Amino acid sequence: MRIVRKAIQYAILVLLALVFMMPFLWMLSTSLKGGADDLFTYPPQIIPRSFHWENYRKVLSMYPWGIFLKNTSLITFTSMFATLLSSAMVAFGFARLRFPGRDQIFFLVLSTMMVPYYTTLIPQYILFTKLGWVNTLKPLIVPNFFGSAFYIFLLRQHFMSIPAELDDSAKIDGASTMRIFWSIYLPLAKPVLITIGILQFMAAWSDFIGPLIYLHSEKNYTLTLALNTFRGIHYTDWHYLMAGTMMVALPSLIFFFIGQKYIIGGITVSGIK
């Protein structure tokens, strides 16, 4: 009876997984089809009659994707480094340093999570306009050096679970506060840091609103913004559009599947239930 119940549970899970995977499978299938004769057949065909791998080569030749990949990679990896460094330092301060108003300031930082992004969009745009940063990559990179409230919270929870005796032992050996942070806390927070890195990678790689607001010149476009422009030009060529979408989405998917076990482990280690 137990085996039957397990089999039913797994069958339901597989069915639900297939349902959620259908958009991705349809996108992959469309990207490998030919013209309208293959795209609009009835009944629809998931498996193409013939695989047109040349669609990807044609899409790469239609648009300067290399420039957009360079811009996206610069924004993504710089924001990952900035977010990890700033969030870890702020979280360490809230977890281990004692100063007046620490808990109140931490509460204020957490309260910023309730402020919608679009509420601060106009003031930020005015600020970056006065700084002369509009139509550059700076508005998408520099704010990450000031940390993220959610990531600060994750790291603080993990830092508070580390025994304070480690701090005392390090201080007896003459270690400074920064040495304690760099040599003790950061290595012990590796699961949480990997989790944050993966989440930040996916958020920065797939960001569309930020580039849409701040980037005006095509030479500064990111992949998501370039894909939207490509869609406007080739809106009838569904096989090319799906091939371009597949190429833009693939790095984020690969990054997620490689690091998904770290996401679960990192959130568990941080104490979030």
Side-chain angles (χ1 to χ4, degrees):
M1 187 65 182
R2 183 179 179 182
I3 297 176
V4 174
R5 186 167 61 250
K6 284 287 186 182
I8 294 174
Q9 290 176 352
Y10 283 121
I12 294 174
L13 289 175
V14 170
L15 181 62
L16 289 175
L18 289 174
V19 170
F20 283 102
M21 286 179 63
M22 275 304 298
F24 176 78
L25 294 176
W26 186 258
M27 178 175 66
L28 178 61
S29 173
T30 305
S31 70
L32 295 173
K33 291 180 179 180
D37 294 338
D38 291 337
L39 294 173
F40 302 110
T41 56
Y42 186 83
Q45 293 182 336
I46 295 294
I47 301 177
R49 297 171 184 172
S50 59
F51 294 91
H52 294 267
W53 295 101
E54 67 274 9
N55 290 345
Y56 290 87
R57 186 175 66 253
K58 290 181 180 179
V59 170
L60 289 174
S61 64
M62 290 176 179
Y63 223 35
W65 297 101
I67 297 175
F68 310 140
L69 176 61
K70 183 184 70 173
N71 295 335
T72 304
S73 300
L74 177 62
I75 293 171
T76 300
F77 291 105
T78 306
S79 65
M80 282 177 59
F81 169 77
T83 300
L84 287 171
L85 180 63
S86 58
S87 298
M89 293 183 70
V90 174
F92 176 76
F94 283 131
R96 283 294 181 256
L97 302 183
R98 299 183 180 276
F99 52 89
R102 181 188 66 174
D103 295 337
Q104 290 77 11
I105 296 175
F106 179 67
F107 177 78
L108 183 63
V109 171
L110 288 185
S111 66
T112 61
M113 295 173 59
M114 296 183 290
V115 180
Y117 171 74
Y118 301 99
T119 304
T120 60
L121 190 58
I122 294 177
Q124 283 184 347
Y125 186 84
I126 295 174
L127 172 64
F128 293 140
T129 300
K130 292 183 179 296
L131 292 174
W133 288 3
V134 174
N135 200 28
T136 69
L137 303 183
K138 293 178 182 178
L140 305 174
I141 295 176
V142 174
N144 294 289
F145 283 93
F146 296 91
S148 167
F150 177 64
Y151 299 152
I152 290 171
F153 174 70
L154 285 180
L155 285 164
R156 175 184 177 271
Q157 295 303 107
H158 177 65
F159 288 157
M160 291 186 68
S161 67
I162 298 174
E165 287 77 12
L166 290 177
D167 299 39
D168 298 333
S169 300
K171 289 177 181 178
I172 292 174
D173 292 336
S176 62
T177 301
M178 281 302 299
R179 181 62 182 272
I180 294 172
F181 166 72
W182 193 262
S183 300
I184 297 178
Y185 280 80
L186 282 187
L188 291 176
K190 189 179 295 183
V192 186
L193 292 174
I194 294 175
T195 299
I196 293 173
I198 295 170
L199 295 176
Q200 182 62 25
F201 176 91
M202 293 190 296
W205 186 273
S206 60
D207 184 24
F208 175 70
I209 295 297
L212 179 65
I213 297 298
Y214 296 115
L215 304 180
H216 303 156
S217 301
E218 187 175 281
K219 64 178 182 179
N220 293 325
Y221 278 7
T222 59
L223 286 172
T224 53
L225 195 56
L227 182 63
N228 183 65
T229 306
F230 183 80
R231 178 182 62 85
I233 299 173
H234 300 278
Y235 61 93
T236 58
D237 300 323
W238 284 91
H239 48 311
Y240 294 149
L241 180 58
M242 291 299 105
T245 305
M246 191 73 188
M247 288 188 294
V248 172
L250 196 58
S252 185
L253 290 173
I254 293 174
F255 210 79
F256 173 78
F257 282 114
I258 291 176
Q260 61 178 337
K261 64 178 181 180
Y262 295 105
I263 295 178
I264 298 172
I267 293 177
T268 303
V269 168
S270 66
I272 304 299
K273 301 297 183 182

